[in-house]
Amino acid sequence: MARPPTQATATYPLDTAYGQDFLTLKAKGPDALFDDAALCDLPQTAITTTTFWTDGETHFSGPSLYALLAAAGLADAITAVRLIALSDHMMVMNDAVIDPVAPIVANRMNGAPIAVRDQGPLWVICPFNRRSQCSAKSHFALTIRQLSRIEVS
């Protein structure tokens, strides 16, 4: 049975395949730690799109950012989230571009886990080919590869 995280205080085991926390969600109170299994337990969304960083159409899948925030009990309480990569590259995404379907926190690319060398293990991505609001150049700037932390204030 799926183990749905319901509070930002939920803690999941470390992902031994990566040897580190897979994703840390920081909010008021204790951090929520998500491993690959916890992310896979959330409702999944698939996107097939082209990007500046991949050749041709690429299939991405994983939970929507909204579903991840909702699992931690935060989806309706935010105005913006800070997304931070393994390299400490950071961007802020406001709630106007977060909906129940997109962007997604992709943990699979073409059906396989995303290696760090391939911009993984997590990649925040929009369906650039399908949705007019995501096809704007400004939305390419909202893509973050190698996501490791999400901070909600």
Side-chain angles (χ1 to χ4, degrees):
M1 179 168 184
R3 53 170 195 236
T6 56
Q7 305 275 345
T9 58
T11 301
Y12 293 94
L14 301 181
D15 182 354
T16 55
Y18 291 89
Q20 60 188 9
D21 294 343
F22 205 74
L23 177 65
T24 303
L25 185 88
K26 294 181 157 299
K28 294 177 182 170
D31 296 345
L33 303 176
F34 292 86
D35 64 1
D36 190 57
L39 292 173
C40 288
D41 282 347
L42 297 173
Q44 300 294 294
T45 302
I47 293 173
T48 300
T49 193
T50 56
T51 74
F52 292 124
W53 309 278
T54 57
D55 294 326
E57 285 196 337
T58 304
H59 182 79
F60 295 93
S61 61
S64 69
L65 179 58
Y66 182 89
L68 180 66
L69 294 169
L74 301 169
D76 298 322
I78 60 141
T79 56
V81 294
R82 186 178 300 198
L83 305 168
I84 304 163
L86 291 170
S87 66
D88 288 331
H89 170 72
M90 185 271 305
M91 57 155 281
V92 175
M93 183 178 290
N94 68 44
D95 65 339
V97 297
I98 301 171
D99 68 39
V101 176
I104 68 168
V105 179
N107 60 342
R108 298 290 185 274
M109 184 167 61
N110 296 324
I114 309 171
V116 171
R117 71 180 174 279
D118 293 327
Q119 310 304 331
L122 300 173
W123 192 336
V124 176
I125 193 155
C126 280
F128 303 115
N129 296 3
R130 283 197 324 229
R131 299 178 54 198
S132 60
Q133 70 260 35
C134 282
S135 61
K137 247 186 179 179
S138 61
H139 279 78
F140 281 101
L142 296 177
T143 296
I144 189 160
R145 295 159 289 161
Q146 298 181 325
L147 177 71
S148 65
R149 290 188 324 269
I150 299 173
E151 296 178 354
V152 178
S153 53

